[in-house]
Amino acid sequence: MDGAVLAEPIMERLRKRNPAYNETAYLFLLAALHFTIERAGEARHITGRELAEGCRDLAMERFGLMARSVLEFWGIRSTRDLGEIVFALVECGVLVKQEGDCVHDFEDVFCFCDAFESNYPWCAPRELQT
């Protein structure tokens, strides 16, 4: 992901608004939004739950077993953090929300420990064919 995706004035506002998140977290969330819309098969409103699940799935696809560590390095430790990032992007005019959308839509969508560790989709090795 190229840091030039968000103009420097916007990135500066995001850094000042919430320095807990690495700027790559914002870029990842935008990539996850695109991933989630593509997976939906149509351009439409994506709910907080759908986006949180899309972030989880994209992180697992891109980073595998390191997904939780990568997200935590960027400051993302829960689905609530994803909501904070979304609404920071809304405040900067990068994303728009629908009436009724709120940061609480992202609370407790899934547990990071469960998603990235306990319930990690381990693949069984393929049996050797003779």
Side-chain angles (χ1 to χ4, degrees):
M1 285 177 271
D2 181 7
V5 171
L6 292 176
E8 186 56 33
I10 293 172
M11 195 57 79
E12 185 61 30
R13 286 175 49 201
L14 291 168
R15 281 191 292 266
K16 284 181 180 178
R17 181 189 183 278
N18 202 337
Y21 303 116
N22 182 292
E23 59 190 60
T24 308
Y26 297 99
L27 300 175
F28 175 77
L29 188 121
L30 293 172
L33 177 59
H34 180 74
F35 173 85
T36 305
I37 290 170
E38 281 190 342
R39 187 165 65 178
E42 61 181 318
R44 62 170 176 79
H45 176 259
I46 300 297
T47 67
R49 171 172 291 283
E50 288 174 315
L51 183 51
E53 291 170 350
C55 287
R56 176 198 61 211
D57 296 347
L58 183 60
M60 290 172 62
E61 182 179 297
R62 286 192 177 172
F63 310 117
L65 289 171
M66 295 299 298
R68 183 176 182 185
S69 296
V70 171
L71 294 176
E72 287 181 352
F73 180 77
W74 294 337
I76 303 170
R77 292 174 172 75
S78 69
T79 56
R80 169 70 187 227
D81 289 320
L82 298 170
E84 293 290 341
I85 292 169
V86 165
F87 280 87
L89 290 166
V90 168
E91 285 180 20
C92 289
V94 175
L95 296 177
V96 295
K97 69 179 189 87
Q98 288 189 346
E99 188 175 327
D101 288 344
C102 68
V103 72
H104 301 296
D105 296 339
F106 290 85
E107 287 183 359
D108 301 320
V109 175
F110 59 85
C111 168
F112 271 40
C113 182
D114 290 343
F116 298 119
E117 293 173 19
S118 302
N119 297 330
Y120 187 84
W122 298 96
C123 295
R126 290 184 176 170
E127 292 185 38
L128 296 175
Q129 295 185 3
T130 57

